[in-house]
């Protein structure tokens, strides 16, 4: 079994270091050493900073890859239009078991990240800076860095700066989750799509980006776009930070120029000469096969072109001796457990998808494969955050990449190989605060209601799925795919509305006591009142 990665694994560099400059001298660059290695940094105007980001084609390094200059300009325009001070947020929440590059940067080069964030804060006129983290080591390092710069959260400070610590959980790394936690709520997505650039922390326009992104901006601001562009590819200049683990002899974080062959990176980490497959982009990423590895280079465009993904920079090869579907099942089950539990495509769909993959491995045949494809399709673009989408992409990629193994399991008696567990996962069954079930908030407590479908009455109108997508999805026949389900605490009002508005009166709610059995029926409107409600 592959053990969990340490917070700061081995760090390597190909070519001249940029983000990792000084790592050969000290374990952590404090402020004096940081200035010795990188030198001072002059402030820049907002448009000058946006032009710099545009010239180096800087895109978010947290996975989404959104152009940084567009985000910067959007925040500036919104702040000017509304006459409010914007907020700058550094997202250092790295909650995938296979990702450590941001954790390494925060632990070893925190001032490089702060350089980029403070450049943006000064250019935008921001008076609030928040750094989101999820690990004790990153919290200590960043709090020490703020103290070294004389920054604090005092009311009289010209710039109020602080660290926001959240639970280690996949969904806490989402931008909306981090903003919600900064505002005092739980670290889960709010369930509505809101642009942080327009309405972020405290309702103010918020520039939120990944830790590596701010560090890259600081490098470019120091050396200029021409010199920055001398490293890497013409259309994707500079370096990228990768976390390489899985079936490797030496798990590591490595800084490489764009354009380096992916097979060379794998060779440095001691990967098999001919891996069975390589998962690119992490657990919201995509698999590529051994033949494709030889074609791929380290760049967003190249990996996209060969069916992979740069994503959050995680690269995970597996050997020829393990069952790739079994390895993927372990990840699928973990992804299902990481659900925030607040929307149906996630807390119902992802476990169903994992069970579908398990059915394939257990000899479920073509029917199990078709069921898995349907579930993966149903969860996409329907969640409160990108977790269902990324998880579905991973599952669809698994099916596409390992066709021979899939055929052996679907049409035969399996591939005959064991599951070695080479893909790192967190262990221990955590139930952190801020997540439903963690006991932090009333609306995130245990469900008190259960909703039932009366199949003798249901006519497949589909209104329940529109009102309560957290619970109901419609199958190919247009009818709900579940007959009964627990209702999340936060969705209880919507569940009652679904019951009242069902044209066939086919739904009912029951309140559950502490041990689960129904204790009393909740009120349901009469048929006449229900029809009048629909007519409004």
């Amino acid at each position: 079994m592959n053990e969990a990665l340490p917070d700061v694994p081995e760090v390597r560099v190909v070519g001249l270091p940029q983000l990792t400059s000084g790592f050969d001298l000290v374990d952590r660059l404090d402020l004096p050493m940081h200035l010795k290695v990188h030198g001072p940094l002059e402030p820049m105007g907002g448009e000058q900073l946006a032009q710099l980001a545009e010239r180096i084609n800087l895109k978010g390094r947290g996975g989404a890859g959104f152009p940084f200059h567009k985000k910067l300009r959007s925040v500036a325009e919104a702040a000017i239009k509304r006459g409010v001070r914007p907020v700058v947020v550094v997202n250092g929440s790295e909650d995938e078991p296979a990702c450590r590059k941001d954790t390494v940067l925060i632990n070893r080069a925190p001032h490089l990240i702060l350089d980029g964030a403070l450049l943006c804060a000064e250019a935008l006129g921001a008076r609030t800076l928040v750094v989101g983290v999820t690990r004790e080591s990153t919290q200590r390092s960043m709090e020490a860095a703020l103290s070294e710069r004389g920054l604090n959260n005092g009311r009289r400070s010209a710039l109020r700066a602080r660290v926001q610590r959240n639970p280690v959980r996949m969904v806490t790394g989402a931008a909306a989750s981090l903003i919600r936690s900064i505002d005092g709520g739980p670290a889960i997505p709010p369930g509505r799509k809101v642009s942080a650039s327009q309405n972020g922390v405290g309702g103010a326009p918020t520039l939120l980006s990944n830790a590596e992104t701010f560090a890259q901006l600081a490098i470019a601001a120091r050396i200029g776009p021409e010199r920055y562009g001398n490293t890497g590819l013409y259309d994707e200049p500079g370096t990228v930070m990768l976390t390489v683990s899985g079936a490797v002899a030496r798990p590591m974080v490595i800084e490489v120029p764009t354009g380096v062959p992916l097979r060379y990176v794998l060779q440095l980490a001691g990967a098999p000469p001919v891996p069975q497959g390589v998962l690119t982009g992490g657990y919201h990423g995509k698999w590529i096969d051994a033949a494709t590895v030889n074609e791929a280079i380290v760049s967003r465009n190249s990996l996209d072109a060969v069916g992979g993904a740069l994503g959050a920079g995680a690269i995970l090869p597996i050997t020829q001796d393990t069952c790739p579907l079994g390895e993927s099942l372990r990840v699928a089950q973990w992804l299902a457990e990481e659900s925030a539990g607040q929307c149906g495509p996630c807390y119902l769909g992802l476990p169903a998808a994992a069970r579908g993959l398990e059915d394939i491995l257990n000899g479920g045949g073509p029917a199990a494969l078709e069921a898995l494809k349907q579930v993966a399709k149903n969860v996409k673009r329907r969640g409160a955050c990108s977790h269902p989408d990324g998880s579905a992409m991973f599952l669809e990629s698994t099916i596409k990449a390992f066709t021979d193994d899939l055929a052996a399991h679907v049409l035969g008696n399996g591939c005959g190989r064991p599951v070695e567990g080479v893909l790192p996962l967190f262990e221990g069954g955590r139930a952190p605060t801020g997540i439903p079930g963690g006991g932090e908030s009333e609306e995130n407590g245990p469900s008190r209601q259960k909703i039932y479908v009366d199949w003798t009455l249901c006519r497949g109108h589909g209104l329940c799925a529109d009102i309560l997508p957290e619970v109901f999805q419609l199958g190919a026949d247009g009818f709900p795919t579940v007959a009964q389900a627990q209702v999340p605490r936060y969705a209880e009002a919507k569940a009652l509305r679904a019951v009242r508005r069902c044209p066939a009166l086919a739904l009912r709610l029951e309140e559950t006591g502490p041990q689960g059995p129904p204790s009393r029926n909740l009120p349901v409107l009469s048929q006449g009142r229900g029809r009048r409600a629909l007519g409004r």
Side-chain angles (χ1 to χ4, degrees):
M1 298 289 288
N2 196 315
E3 296 181 1
L5 292 173
D7 279 9
V8 183
E10 177 185 356
V11 179
R12 295 285 299 274
V13 61
V14 174
L16 295 176
Q18 290 188 358
L19 301 178
T20 58
S21 293
F23 280 22
D24 57 333
L25 303 174
V26 292
D27 289 337
R28 178 184 179 276
L29 280 74
D30 60 13
L31 185 56
M33 180 59 75
H34 167 74
L35 293 174
K36 286 180 182 179
V37 170
H38 292 284
L41 183 59
E42 297 296 324
M44 301 174 69
E47 182 55 30
Q48 184 184 8
L49 200 58
Q51 289 177 6
L52 171 66
E54 187 172 11
R55 289 185 65 182
I56 66 172
N57 195 21
L58 180 61
K59 294 182 178 179
R61 301 299 177 91
F66 190 81
F68 188 81
H69 69 94
K70 292 184 178 180
K71 189 180 293 187
L72 187 62
R73 288 191 173 109
S74 177
V75 172
E77 291 168 2
I80 293 170
K81 182 178 180 180
R82 292 171 52 189
V84 297
R85 295 278 190 181
V87 176
V88 175
V89 175
V90 178
N91 192 349
S93 309
E94 197 168 40
D95 303 315
E96 273 197 55
C99 294
R100 289 296 184 277
K101 50 106 174 174
D102 289 325
T103 303
V104 163
L105 284 175
I106 295 174
N107 273 288
R108 301 197 62 180
H111 289 285
L112 197 60
I113 299 165
L114 287 179
D115 278 346
L118 292 171
L119 268 180
C120 294
E122 185 163 354
L124 292 169
R127 293 292 180 265
T128 303
L129 168 65
V130 183
V131 182
V133 300
T134 53
R135 302 171 188 275
E136 184 179 354
S137 65
T138 50
Q139 180 182 7
R140 285 199 310 264
S141 180
M142 190 54 74
E143 286 179 343
L146 292 177
S147 178
E148 288 164 7
R149 288 178 180 253
L151 296 172
N152 57 61
N153 197 34
R155 292 182 178 274
R156 297 180 181 274
S157 301
L159 175 69
R160 299 185 64 177
R162 67 181 179 90
V163 175
Q164 172 71 30
R165 171 86 179 273
N166 287 328
V168 178
R169 195 83 178 204
M170 189 76 163
V171 294
T172 65
S177 300
L178 179 53
I179 288 173
R180 191 177 184 187
S181 71
I182 293 170
D183 283 337
I188 56 176
R192 62 187 184 280
K193 307 288 186 181
V194 179
S195 169
S197 300
Q198 305 298 314
N199 188 5
V201 175
T206 298
L207 178 69
L208 186 149
S209 202
N210 163 265
E212 185 194 340
T213 313
F214 284 109
Q216 293 282 1
L217 184 68
I219 293 291
R222 277 188 169 88
I223 67 177
E226 292 81 11
R227 187 175 159 196
Y228 187 93
N230 290 337
T231 300
L233 299 170
Y234 173 77
D235 58 342
E236 292 184 53
T239 65
V240 295
M241 297 283 283
L242 303 174
T243 311
V244 187
S245 63
V248 297
R250 301 167 62 189
M252 63 178 59
V253 168
I254 182 169
E255 182 183 14
V256 300
T258 55
V260 169
L262 180 60
R263 65 177 181 275
Y264 179 66
V265 174
L266 293 171
Q267 181 183 348
L268 286 177
V274 184
Q276 182 175 190
V278 177
L279 181 58
T280 59
Y283 296 158
H284 279 176
K286 298 179 180 180
W287 289 100
I288 58 177
D289 59 27
T292 305
V293 169
N294 293 325
E295 305 172 17
I297 62 175
V298 177
S299 85
R300 188 177 301 277
N301 291 337
S302 171
L303 288 170
D304 287 345
V306 299
L310 180 61
I315 305 294
L316 302 105
I318 59 173
T319 69
Q320 299 281 352
D321 301 324
T322 188
C323 173
L325 301 184
E327 295 287 350
S328 297
L329 174 60
R330 293 178 63 247
V331 175
Q333 290 170 335
W334 179 80
L335 290 169
E337 292 171 357
E338 290 298 293
S339 168
Q342 63 173 354
C343 63
C346 198
Y347 88 86
L348 294 176
L350 296 188
R355 289 194 297 271
L357 184 54
E358 187 174 18
D359 287 345
I360 291 173
L361 287 164
N362 291 334
L369 176 59
E370 289 306 313
L372 173 59
K373 289 179 178 179
Q374 187 62 44
V375 171
K377 179 181 177 181
N378 287 343
V379 303
K380 289 191 295 187
R381 294 180 295 278
R382 298 180 64 189
C385 68
S386 62
H387 184 53
D389 296 345
S391 302
M393 182 168 68
F394 167 78
L395 287 163
E396 290 174 337
S397 172
T398 300
I399 295 171
K400 183 178 179 181
F402 302 110
T403 52
D404 290 345
D405 290 88
L406 192 65
H409 284 281
V410 171
L411 303 176
N413 296 319
C415 66
R417 286 173 290 185
V419 178
E420 296 181 340
V422 297
L423 302 181
L425 294 173
F426 293 132
E427 303 292 343
R430 309 169 320 283
T433 58
I435 302 295
E440 185 172 285
S441 126
E442 172 68 15
E443 72 170 15
N444 292 326
S447 172
R448 299 178 304 183
Q449 296 179 5
K450 200 167 188 178
I451 194 164
Y452 296 83
V453 179
D454 186 337
W455 295 116
T456 65
L457 298 175
C458 182
R459 296 294 178 265
H461 294 96
L463 194 61
C464 57
D466 292 333
I467 297 174
L468 195 62
E470 294 87 347
V471 171
F472 291 114
Q473 300 174 51
L474 301 182
D477 57 1
F479 285 82
T481 57
V482 297
Q484 56 181 311
Q486 294 292 140
V487 178
R489 280 289 275 276
Y490 82 97
E492 289 176 350
K494 290 201 292 182
L496 183 57
R497 188 157 65 249
V499 169
R500 289 173 170 173
R501 294 189 178 184
C502 176
L505 298 180
L507 301 177
R508 81 176 192 275
L509 274 173
E510 290 183 352
E511 185 169 337
T512 59
Q515 304 302 320
S519 58
R520 64 178 177 84
N521 285 332
L522 295 175
V524 177
L525 294 182
S526 67
Q527 185 172 359
R529 290 179 65 189
R531 286 177 175 166
R532 284 198 297 273
L534 282 171
R536 287 202 295 267

